[in-house]
Amino acid sequence: MAIAKAERLMNLALCLMNTRRPLSKKELRESVEAYREAWQQGSEDAFNRMFERDKDDLRELGLIIDVDENALDGEIGYLARRDRNRLPEIALDAEEAAALALAARVWQQAKMSGAASGALQKLRAAGVPFAEDREHGALEPRIPGREAAFEPLLTAARDRRPVTFDYRKAGAATAEPRSVEPWALECWRGHWYLAGYDRDRGSARVFRLSRITGKVRSRAGAFTGEVPEHVDVRAVVARFAGEGATAVAQVKVRSGAAYPLRQRALETRPVDADWDELDIPYGNGLGADLAEYGPDVIVIGPEDLRADVIDRLRAVAGLAEVQA
């Protein structure tokens, strides 16, 4: 079965790369014997499912397949242009190869680690030497991707597909549906964030993956908003978290708690054996951040920030009472 599939994928790739015009599904079905047999012995649906799986597999392997929706009198046509699928010769020195091998070991997630290992194998086959890096051997960075939304959002951002999901804002009692055009994912201070265009609000937004509830569902159609050339997710998240703000807030933090908050403190003053007082940058979104620490953080001022945190905690408490 594995050999048959590999042969089918190879035949499909050859068909797509050895044509000067887009080919329709019908033409590909007649050109690839396995598709013709599936159509004759099964049905049109069986062929369509096989073709869509194979097309996704080829894209996963790195083949760029163009889709022309009006190529053949309204029929969708498919083409893999040679100029877009030809890579230059790859030459890495020892330090570059070591850095690449180190990056491949970052991912703890099974799917991402498999993709990274596969990329290294392709480079080895191309002649890139990956010797054991003794100098960096003790350094083992890890990037977790535990949220269920991580993989579907990563795939949607790569393929430029709109998505929908339910999102619970910090301190909110219930989740709200969101329709988003995903741009990029980034890990910042141990949390994954998605930057994208929120269709309902008509502007760019950043979403924390741990606050996405339920499944991420892909939607058909193209992006409606302009995708920026570079998306600095970290800078946007930092701005919403109050970093770089000119105002300063004073909070009390329980001893041995809220270490991420302590790292952002401009000044720390011991209060007693149980509490410390921190001066931290105050900007838009800080209230949502502070509310997540619950009873380990008490806002002293400004008063509007204190009121914001109290309102958020009351909303969460009300939700807990309803669920109980």
Side-chain angles (χ1 to χ4, degrees):
M1 292 295 293
I3 296 176
K5 181 177 181 180
E7 182 179 354
R8 191 174 71 240
L9 291 176
M10 179 64 72
N11 289 336
L12 176 59
L14 290 174
C15 286
L16 294 173
M17 295 185 68
N18 288 283
T19 178
R20 295 185 178 181
R21 64 171 180 81
L23 298 176
S24 68
K25 279 188 180 181
K26 182 178 180 181
E27 289 175 314
L28 290 170
R29 187 185 68 200
E30 295 300 321
S31 301
V32 179
E33 183 179 357
Y35 291 158
R36 189 165 59 251
E37 292 179 355
W39 178 71
Q40 292 173 346
Q41 299 176 4
S43 64
E44 187 73 21
D45 289 339
F47 156 67
N48 285 331
R49 288 193 299 269
M50 180 182 290
F51 172 73
E52 293 299 328
R53 285 196 303 266
D54 290 350
K55 181 159 57 69
D56 290 342
D57 287 342
L58 286 178
R59 282 175 169 162
E60 190 72 24
L61 291 171
L63 188 69
I64 301 174
I65 301 175
D66 295 326
V67 179
D68 192 334
E69 297 185 359
N70 298 306
L72 306 164
D73 297 328
E75 290 189 53
I76 297 177
Y78 302 90
L79 173 67
R81 304 182 191 279
R82 291 201 171 195
D83 56 342
R84 299 189 64 192
N85 288 283
R86 182 182 294 112
L87 294 176
E89 183 179 352
I90 299 175
L92 301 176
D93 58 29
E95 291 186 355
E96 290 172 334
L100 195 59
L102 186 64
R105 295 199 298 268
V106 162
W107 294 100
Q108 293 179 345
Q109 196 173 10
K111 184 174 182 179
M112 296 302 298
S113 63
S117 298
L120 289 184
Q121 290 177 1
K122 292 176 185 177
L123 288 172
R124 286 192 182 96
V128 176
F130 287 100
E132 290 296 327
D133 185 19
R134 297 180 181 179
E135 182 179 352
H136 302 91
L139 183 61
E140 289 289 342
R142 288 291 183 265
I143 296 180
R146 303 184 187 91
E147 292 86 353
F150 178 83
E151 287 190 14
L153 287 176
L154 184 67
T155 302
R158 180 198 66 189
D159 297 342
R160 293 287 189 261
R161 290 203 308 266
V163 296
T164 58
F165 51 78
D166 291 333
Y167 188 75
R168 180 186 58 79
K169 295 189 296 185
T174 58
E176 300 177 350
R178 298 293 184 96
S179 179
V180 179
E181 298 171 9
W183 294 341
L185 288 159
E186 186 160 343
C187 186
W188 189 70
R189 289 187 171 174
H191 298 287
W192 279 100
Y193 294 87
L194 166 73
Y197 180 77
D198 190 322
R199 288 181 167 179
D200 298 322
R201 289 152 183 79
S203 62
R205 287 289 191 273
V206 171
F207 304 91
R208 184 162 150 176
L209 266 61
S210 61
R211 295 187 183 133
I212 295 177
T213 62
K215 292 184 177 180
V216 175
R217 294 177 172 83
S218 297
R219 290 293 179 259
F223 281 9
T224 58
E226 182 179 354
V227 181
E229 292 184 2
H230 174 68
V231 184
D232 193 343
V233 183
R234 186 170 302 186
V236 176
V237 175
R239 185 169 66 251
F240 272 82
E243 301 232 338
T246 56
V248 177
Q250 293 77 40
V251 299
K252 287 175 63 177
V253 178
R254 195 183 303 275
S255 297
Y259 286 104
L261 198 61
R262 293 175 181 273
Q263 293 178 350
R264 296 159 55 184
L266 303 173
E267 185 178 350
T268 302
R269 298 176 293 275
V271 176
D272 52 36
D274 297 323
W275 295 91
D276 297 320
E277 184 175 315
L278 277 58
D279 292 342
I280 57 176
Y282 175 27
N284 180 37
L286 181 59
D289 194 15
L290 295 178
E292 293 194 355
Y293 294 103
D296 291 329
V297 170
I298 299 175
V299 179
I300 301 174
E303 187 58 36
D304 59 339
L305 176 62
R306 178 180 172 84
D308 181 23
V309 173
I310 291 175
D311 288 343
R312 293 175 183 276
L313 294 175
R314 283 175 174 168
V316 174
L319 176 62
E321 290 179 0
V322 170
Q323 292 177 341

